[in-house]
Amino acid sequence: MATTTNSAKVTLPTDTQILITREFDAPRHLVWKAYTTPELIRRWWAGTHGTVTAAEVDLRVGGSWRYVLVTHDDFEVAFHGEYREIDAPGRLVNTEIYEGAPDGTGVITTTLTEADGRTTLAQLCDYGDQKIRDAVIDSGMEGGMQSSFDAMEQVAISLA
């Protein structure tokens, strides 16, 4: 098996949605653990772009989450939201709000499926508004996301 650097695919299935798919060289339960455990999130969420200064997770329906990173040039990036559905280790639905533009709330549905010890993540991000979706796409999110998911794969592999 091989790691899959920069392999996430980003598509736009509707005017308000972004679909991200990526395969990880780790079993589903380890990808889930890396994705939902605060001390592990601190190791991957910033990717190569800075340092995670907060990773708060209250993993229950109605519970909240908040992640903060400080980039190498001291720019703070923070997101928060609420968990709506949890079916570990295969499905998580949460809201997502970028604190720099708090008027746009996304609903993120993350699905993890496993085959032959590898896990495919499908993440459908629905912003309910084309302008918000386009702002997310135009923000350069893909580069950050690729770096974060590459780091998350390494964290998941390290848990084996």
Side-chain angles (χ1 to χ4, degrees), residues 38-101:
E39 57 269 23
L40 300 176
I41 294 165
R42 287 179 178 272
R43 292 171 48 190
W44 63 262
W45 192 65
T48 58
H49 298 281
T51 302
V52 176
T53 59
E56 301 162 7
V57 174
D58 180 10
L59 191 61
R60 61 182 176 85
V61 173
S64 63
W65 64 274
R66 184 169 187 261
Y67 305 162
V68 180
L69 80 86
V70 176
T71 65
H72 297 301
D73 56 355
D74 289 326
F75 182 73
E76 185 176 277
V77 179
F79 290 84
H80 71 271
E82 179 181 295
Y83 297 108
R84 291 185 171 178
E85 296 178 37
I86 301 167
D87 186 11
R91 179 179 163 86
L92 183 67
V93 180
N94 61 273
T95 60
E96 177 184 87
I97 299 169
Y98 170 54
E99 294 180 4

Side-chain angles (χ1 to χ4, degrees), residues 73-139:
D73 56 355
D74 289 326
F75 182 73
E76 185 176 277
V77 179
F79 290 84
H80 71 271
E82 179 181 295
Y83 297 108
R84 291 185 171 178
E85 296 178 37
I86 301 167
D87 186 11
R91 179 179 163 86
L92 183 67
V93 180
N94 61 273
T95 60
E96 177 184 87
I97 299 169
Y98 170 54
E99 294 180 4
D103 294 334
T105 299
V107 176
I108 314 300
T109 302
T110 303
T111 305
L112 301 174
T113 55
E114 182 179 340
D116 299 324
R118 296 180 68 86
T119 300
T120 299
L121 173 145
Q123 194 167 61
L124 182 64
C125 311
D126 192 334
Y127 296 96
D129 182 296
Q130 185 174 3
K131 288 181 184 175
I132 295 170
R133 186 216 50 188
D134 291 349
V136 171
I137 289 292
D138 294 342
S139 73

Side-chain angles (χ1 to χ4, degrees), residues 2-9 20-26 31 34 43-49 121 142-158:
T3 57
T4 50
T5 303
N6 291 324
S7 63
K9 305 285 187 252
I20 300 163
T21 55
R22 188 194 196 281
E23 190 173 279
F24 292 84
D25 187 21
V31 174
R43 292 171 48 190
W44 63 262
W45 192 65
T48 58
H49 298 281
L121 173 145
E142 185 173 351
M145 178 263 311
Q146 295 283 6
S147 175
S148 293
F149 281 168
D150 290 349
M152 188 172 90
E153 181 173 58
Q154 294 306 313
V155 169
I157 290 169
S158 77

